[in-house]
Amino acid sequence: MEKNTLGKRIKEARLAKKMTQSEVVGDFITRNMLSQIESGSATPSVKTLEYLCKVLEIEPNALLPDENDSKNAPDAEGYISIRTEFINKNYKAVIEYDADDEFSDEICALKAKACLMEAREYSGSDSATDLQKAIDLAKQASELSKRGIFADESVKSKADELLKANAKRLSDYYRSLL
């Protein structure tokens, strides 16, 4: 579903309830953010969607595309599934998840953190192969942590520190072989 379609459905539900934007937002989000969501210039997070559905007294599936909508619907179930995998510390599943949808910023943030956690795991090894995996994952975490609205400088700095430490360890390992 396009952002415009999602926003239009939220606006339609609000108008059907004869509610102003201010009445809908309460203390949860700003009126300006709701306006941006309704106009399609912003994409709500899953938490915001849940809040809006509760306030507007609609089921979340009322906002999802029906059979006549485009095939590019947001993958809310996929995002929730990946979020659950992250909570359950199944970082490999998070890293391997491939999606290009309206939740890509959230997924990118989860992937960055998952890469960092996996890099830490591989860093505990003395194997050159594992150290290289740790380096690759730390690089990926650093890159992913700079993307989207959930860019996280702390994840980037932790990934960069891990990258440097493992690069040094790997370099020392190879020097010891000479």
Side-chain angles (χ1 to χ4, degrees), residues 118-119 121-137 166 169-170 173-174 177:
E118 281 290 292
E121 285 294 316
Y122 283 111
S123 293
S125 173
D126 289 329
S127 157
T129 304
D130 286 350
L131 287 175
Q132 187 60 55
K133 285 180 185 176
I135 289 168
D136 293 341
L137 286 163
N166 283 308
R169 285 182 62 206
L170 190 59
Y173 172 80
Y174 284 122
L177 296 177

Side-chain angles (χ1 to χ4, degrees), residues 21 25 29-42:
Q21 287 181 334
V25 298
I29 60 174
T30 66
R31 193 205 56 75
N32 187 41
M33 176 53 75
L34 179 58
S35 178
Q36 290 177 13
I37 291 168
E38 288 183 352
S39 71
S41 61

Side-chain angles (χ1 to χ4, degrees), residues 104-105 108-113 138-157 159-160 163:
S104 60
D105 284 349
C108 193
L110 286 174
K111 281 186 169 190
K113 290 180 180 181
K139 282 181 190 177
Q140 191 175 356
S142 181
E143 282 301 311
L144 289 168
S145 69
K146 297 185 286 187
R147 295 185 191 164
I149 61 172
F150 298 108
D152 189 339
E153 186 60 39
S154 69
V155 171
K156 182 180 180 339
S157 66
D160 290 346
L163 175 63

Side-chain angles (χ1 to χ4, degrees), residues 18-153:
K18 297 182 179 173
M19 296 177 76
T20 65
Q21 287 181 334
S22 298
E23 291 171 326
V24 171
V25 298
D27 293 334
F28 190 79
I29 60 174
T30 66
R31 193 205 56 75
N32 187 41
M33 176 53 75
L34 179 58
S35 178
Q36 290 177 13
I37 291 168
E38 288 183 352
S39 71
S41 61
T43 304
S45 67
V46 172
K47 194 172 183 179
T48 299
L49 277 175
E50 289 171 348
Y51 169 80
L52 292 172
C53 288
K54 181 179 176 186
V55 170
L56 297 170
E57 298 175 336
I58 58 174
E59 293 295 320
N61 62 357
L63 300 176
L64 295 177
D66 54 31
E67 293 174 16
N68 298 326
D69 285 339
S70 73
K71 294 180 181 178
N72 296 327
D75 188 8
E77 288 182 21
Y79 170 68
I80 291 168
S81 170
I82 290 306
R83 187 173 162 204
T84 302
E85 294 290 356
F86 183 84
I87 290 167
N88 292 332
K89 299 181 181 182
N90 186 358
Y91 303 124
K92 287 180 182 173
V94 176
I95 294 167
E96 292 170 1
Y97 184 76
D98 187 31
D100 185 26
D101 57 32
E102 292 188 38
F103 297 101
S104 60
D105 284 349
E106 290 94 333
I107 291 169
C108 193
L110 286 174
K111 281 186 169 190
K113 290 180 180 181
C115 286
L116 179 61
M117 300 307 288
E118 281 290 292
R120 286 180 176 162
E121 285 294 316
Y122 283 111
S123 293
S125 173
D126 289 329
S127 157
T129 304
D130 286 350
L131 287 175
Q132 187 60 55
K133 285 180 185 176
I135 289 168
D136 293 341
L137 286 163
K139 282 181 190 177
Q140 191 175 356
S142 181
E143 282 301 311
L144 289 168
S145 69
K146 297 185 286 187
R147 295 185 191 164
I149 61 172
F150 298 108
D152 189 339
E153 186 60 39

